[in-house]
């Protein structure tokens, strides 16, 4: 991680503050303030606990996959990697989480190419999990599944393609025609081999199950938030679905942390379902703070105040090339 990356992350925080301020003005700041001021602190602790459960399931998934790939890593090290990687959640499509790959090299000697492949597998299984959670809620809404049909087909196609030897050979053949990219051929071989291993049936199912538990816990937190704000239009499955659909919208837009479109989608769905502007905004801000921003803050605290020797190395040198 270099200073340029830090400046971009700080800029994203400023942009987010501006966006939230604009939404707050639209929603009626006085009424939103009253709602937030009366929000039960014990419920807030439950929401944060559910987010921690989500982060821990991701840690367990990372530990499982890295051990599957013969990495010598314990839970504490996986915890450090997972939380440190969350510092880069506010990057387009979470692509900044490849920082975790470089950190894994410094911590346990895990090849960067394998680490990059793991980030891809994590994002892919996250997408599968969020789609499943969306479908579960749509069933109770008695809505059409056609809106997610293309995404389901695309996700399934990507999963199948990257798990086949044929796709790897075709990609590398195409890559060999580019002289500049030729030097990365070894790394791409390792990336594809890692992806194929992680997308075998057993590790794929384990990863998806853990992802469903993680994202589902955040969806439950959204339901509890709405319940505390006396908005009862959704049951728990529908609330999880709304949270999942909004998350997908933000992810597909490739916006940093989904910021803007995720909030906008969530507010729009709540208002369309009968919630007032200020209740919709308050619910959205509470759940985004207890999931996205709590994760980013927790990540920075873990990164900066544990394993300080590794942290110093990562802050001082750029990570621009695969080994």
């Amino acid at each position: 991680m270099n200073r340029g990356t830090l400046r971009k992350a700080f800029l994203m925080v400023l942009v987010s503050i501006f966006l939230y301020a604009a939404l707050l003005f639209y929603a009626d700041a006085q009424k939103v303030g009253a709602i937030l001021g009366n929000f039960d602190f014990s419920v807030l602790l439950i929401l944060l606990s559910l987010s921690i459960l989500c982060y821990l399931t991701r840690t367990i998934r990372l530990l499982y996959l890295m051990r599957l790939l013969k990495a010598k890593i314990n839970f504490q090290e996986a915890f450090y990697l997972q939380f440190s990687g969350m510092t880069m959640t506010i990057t387009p499509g979470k692509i900044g989480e490849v920082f975790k790959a470089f950190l894994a090299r410094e911590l346990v000697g895990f090849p960067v190419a394998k680490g990059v492949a793991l980030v891809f597998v994590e994002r892919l299984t996250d997408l599968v999990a969020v789609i499943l959670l969306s479908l579960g809620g749509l069933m109770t809404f008695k809505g059409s599944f056609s809106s997610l049909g293309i995404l389901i087909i695309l996700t399934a196609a990507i999963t199948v393609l990257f798990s086949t030897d044929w796709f790897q050979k075709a990609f590398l053949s195409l890559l060999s025609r580019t002289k500049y990219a030729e030097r990365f051929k070894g790394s791409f071989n390792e990336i594809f081999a890692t992806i194929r291993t992680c997308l075998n049936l057993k590790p794929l199912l384990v990863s998806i199950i853990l992802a469903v538990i993680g994202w589902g816990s955040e969806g439950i937190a959204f339901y509890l938030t709405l319940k505390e704000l006396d908005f009862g239009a959704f049951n728990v499955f529908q609330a999880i679905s709304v949270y999942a659909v909004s998350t997908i919208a933000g992810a597909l837009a490739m916006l940093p942390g989904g910021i803007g479109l995720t909030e906008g989608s969530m507010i729009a769905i709540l208002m369309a379902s009968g919630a007032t502007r200020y209740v919709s905004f308050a619910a959205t801000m509470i759940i985004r703070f207890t999931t996205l921003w709590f994760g980013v803050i927790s990540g920075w605290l873990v990164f900066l105040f544990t394993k300080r020797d590794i942290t110093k190395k990562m802050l001082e040198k750029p990570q621009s090339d695969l080994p």
Side-chain angles (χ1 to χ4, degrees), residues 205-267:
L205 289 177
V206 170
S207 298
I208 291 174
I209 289 170
L210 289 171
V212 167
I213 294 172
W215 287 102
S217 66
E218 291 190 347
I220 292 172
F222 183 56
Y223 168 74
L224 294 177
T225 300
L226 296 177
K227 187 176 180 180
E228 177 62 21
L229 297 181
D230 294 323
F231 181 71
F234 302 145
N235 61 37
V236 63
F237 297 106
Q238 292 168 338
I240 291 173
S241 179
V242 171
Y243 180 77
V245 169
S246 300
T247 300
I248 291 173
L252 292 181
M254 294 298 289
L255 295 169
I259 295 169
L261 192 54
T262 298
E263 287 85 352
S265 300
M266 203 172 288
I267 291 171

Side-chain angles (χ1 to χ4, degrees), residues 59-119:
T59 300
I60 294 170
R61 179 178 62 182
L62 178 65
L63 178 64
Y64 169 76
L65 292 175
M66 289 188 70
R67 284 184 173 177
L68 178 70
L69 297 167
K70 312 301 181 185
K72 295 181 179 179
I73 184 172
N74 57 38
F75 180 82
Q76 291 79 9
E77 290 166 334
F79 180 90
Y80 176 70
L81 288 177
Q82 176 58 41
F83 274 73
S84 296
M86 284 158 49
T87 61
M88 293 292 103
T89 299
I90 50 174
T91 55
K94 295 187 179 181
I95 193 64
E97 286 193 25
V98 296
F99 163 64
K100 187 164 55 179
F102 294 95
L103 192 58
R105 180 182 61 186
E106 300 297 328
L107 185 64
V108 295
F110 195 66
V112 171
K114 286 187 175 182
V116 171
L118 273 187
V119 172

Side-chain angles (χ1 to χ4, degrees), residues 182-198:
E182 178 68 20
R183 66 191 182 100
F184 291 118
K185 188 173 181 178
S187 293
F188 278 111
N189 266 317
E190 195 164 25
I191 287 173
F192 276 105
T194 300
I195 291 174
R196 287 204 314 275
T197 299
C198 294

